[in-house]
Every structure is written in C-alpha cells, then in structure tokens.
Amino acid sequence: MELNLPPHGLPGLLLTVCGPDGCGKSTLEAGLLDRLASRGVTPQVLIQPSAWWREDPRVRSTMVAGPRSLDPLALALFALADRVDQQAHEVLPVLAAGGTILSNRYLLSLCAHFLTTREIDQALLTPLYRQLVAPDLMVVLDAPTPVLLDRVVRRDGPDPRRWDQQPEFVARNREAFLALARANGALVLDTTRPAPEVLDTVWDRVAPLLPPGAPPREGR
Ligand SMILES: Nc1ncnc2c1ncn2[C@@H]1O[C@H](COP(=O)(O)OP(=O)(O)OP(=O)(O)O)[C@@H](O)[C@H]1O
Ligand SMILES: Cc1cn([C@H]2C[C@H](O)[C@@H](COP(=O)(O)O)O2)c(=O)[nH]c1=O
C-alpha cells in the first residue's frame, strides 16, 4: 500500500520511528536525542497517538477488547483526527520555523493496525491519509514475533487481552509494517541487533539531513 504523502516543503526536518509494540522505538528515540544534542539540535519529541486518543476510555476498552469497544471505522477516524490535529498544532509550526521533529509512531502505525485487523476498507481512508505530510526519514523497526511478545510481557506484565500480547495479531502486525515499509521507502532495521548498532545505522541517515553548521559529534 503506497501512501504517496505530499512533501511538507518546509525548512524543518520530520523524523519518524514506527514498528510493532516492543520493537525498540523508545530505545532508538533516546539514542537519537543524545546524538542530536551533540549536534546542537533539540527536536520536538512527539508521541502518536497523542494523549487525546490514548486516554479516551473507549479507546482503552477497545485495546483490550473490553465492553463498549469502538466501531473500527470510528477508531480509525478518531486516530486520523488525532494525527491531523497534531500535525496542525505541533508538527507544521515547528517545521515552518526550521525545527526538527522526532515522532515516536506516525501514520504507518495507523495503517499497520488496520491492515492487521482487516476491519476497514483502506481505500476509504487513503485519500484522507494524504492530509498528512511525508516524513524526511521513515524508520521501521522490526524483530521476530516471539521477541516482540517477550519484550512486551517482560516490560508490562502478562495481559492476554491486549492486542500486542496476542501472537497472531503481533505476527500479522509485523508483516503489515514490513509491507508498508517496502512500499513507502522506509529504512527497516532488525532490533535483535544491539541497540548501539541500530542507532549508528539510523544516525548515518539522519546526520546528512541536519542543517549545515551544526557542530560534528565528538569522536565520530
Ligand atoms: N536493539 C535492541 N536490542 C535489544 N533489545 C532492545 C533493542 N531495542 C529495544 N530493546 C529492548 O526491547 C524492549 C522494548 O523496547 P522499547 O520500549 O524501546 O520498545 P517500543 O517500540 O518503544 O515499545 P512500545 O511501542 O510498546 O512502547 C526494551 O526492554 C528494550 O531494552
Ligand atoms: C489505531 C491505532 C493503533 N495504534 C496502536 C499501536 C499500539 O498498540 C497502541 C499505542 O499505544 P502504546 O502505548 O504506544 O503501545 O495503539 C497506533 O499506534 N495508532 C493507531 O492509529
């Protein structure tokens, strides 16, 4: 599924990190923050979905297949509304001012979720997805399904009702991310490789995108 998102055309930089739960997004984000700081860049860090979506009681219930789960199309439209609003208020103003954004999850996470559940007709939403701008760098992190499951259970404790703890869901979600990454030119990295190696590979793609004049990181 090719998204064909429009370029933002603004002086700033939009970096996004996506992938299934437990793939290592937050770990990479922490490393990137450190590297960016060493080049004098303090990015605006965004988490998608935002608290507006995440803390909604019906969304929370939906995530554990609880009572009054949201209709899938309603869930998708709410997730998209969240992204569109975040773009208007938190992404575009920063890019327009020449700033850098580091987004933990982006549109690919929304698409991957519904490619996984197969609950909605993606063709319905594709034109709306194009309201969102293309990142300057899209990273998709991956790991084998048993590794992802193990990381999430170790971190959060077992809760078999959660979609990110169901082996079939996680396996399909992973495939959805990989297919989207292939179709949309994302940099895919296997996080069974040590975290510093993953960071080095991503940094090699980020560093040339930074504005000239930023001081090089010592020792590199
Ligand atoms: N490259 C890596 N090698 C080994 N372990 C890793 C790597 N990256 C992350 N991990 C480990 O995997 C676990 C999950 O990582 P992290 O919280 O960064 O994932 P996440 O994608 O942000 O998860 P979620 O989306 O569920 O919040 C952590 O215990 C972390 O230490
Ligand atoms: C619809 C939709 C779902 N997700 C998923 C991916 C994660 O399982 C959760 C986000 O919560 P977490 O605390 O970061 O695990 O929701 C998504 O990210 N985006 C979506 O649009």
Side-chain angles (χ1 to χ4, degrees):
M1 180 179 159
E2 215 175 325
L3 292 168
N4 285 319
L5 303 181
H8 57 73
L10 295 167
L13 195 59
L14 176 59
L15 309 171
T16 62
V17 182
C18 293
D21 293 298
C23 66
K25 296 181 291 297
S26 306
T27 305
L28 174 63
E29 178 189 305
L32 278 175
L33 282 177
D34 186 41
R35 296 270 172 108
L36 287 165
S38 72
R39 290 280 301 262
V41 177
T42 307
Q44 168 87 30
V45 177
L46 294 182
I47 298 208
Q48 291 199 345
S50 79
W52 182 42
W53 185 90
R54 219 175 263 274
E55 289 166 15
D56 181 272
R58 286 158 303 181
V59 171
R60 297 180 77 84
S61 181
T62 308
M63 287 169 99
V64 295
R68 189 59 179 90
S69 284
L70 279 165
D71 172 85
L73 183 58
L75 180 69
L77 290 171
F78 185 20
L80 194 56
D82 183 39
R83 277 161 170 71
V84 169
D85 189 65
Q86 195 179 45
Q87 172 168 279
H89 294 285
E90 296 175 63
V91 176
L92 296 181
V94 172
L95 296 179
T100 299
I101 292 198
L102 180 53
S103 187
N104 187 327
R105 297 187 190 282
Y106 195 64
L107 180 62
L108 241 54
S109 297
L110 193 163
C111 300
H113 182 84
F114 290 105
L115 286 173
T116 305
T117 64
R118 301 173 187 148
E119 287 170 326
I120 55 171
D121 178 4
Q122 294 281 341
L124 207 61
L125 293 180
T126 315
L128 293 176
Y129 291 156
R130 298 201 179 110
Q131 294 301 309
L132 295 168
V133 297
D136 298 287
L137 178 66
M138 249 189 281
V139 177
V140 169
L141 300 180
D142 180 48
T145 301
V147 173
L148 295 170
L149 288 163
D150 181 60
R151 286 178 182 172
V152 170
V153 171
R154 271 175 202 269
R155 189 191 57 197
D156 300 341
D159 183 350
R161 299 170 309 158
R162 278 174 45 166
W163 62 44
D164 60 358
Q165 295 198 15
Q166 292 163 13
E168 204 192 315
F169 182 98
V170 174
R172 283 219 306 266
N173 191 232
R174 186 183 166 221
E175 288 311 318
F177 270 111
L178 291 175
L180 283 164
R182 275 193 295 273
N184 294 284
L187 170 66
V188 181
L189 293 168
D190 176 356
T191 63
T192 57
R193 285 170 56 199
E197 259 183 43
V198 173
L199 174 61
D200 278 345
T201 308
V202 175
W203 185 247
D204 285 344
R205 292 284 295 271
V206 172
L209 301 174
L210 295 176
R217 200 174 79 95
E218 268 177 40
R220 277 183 66 81

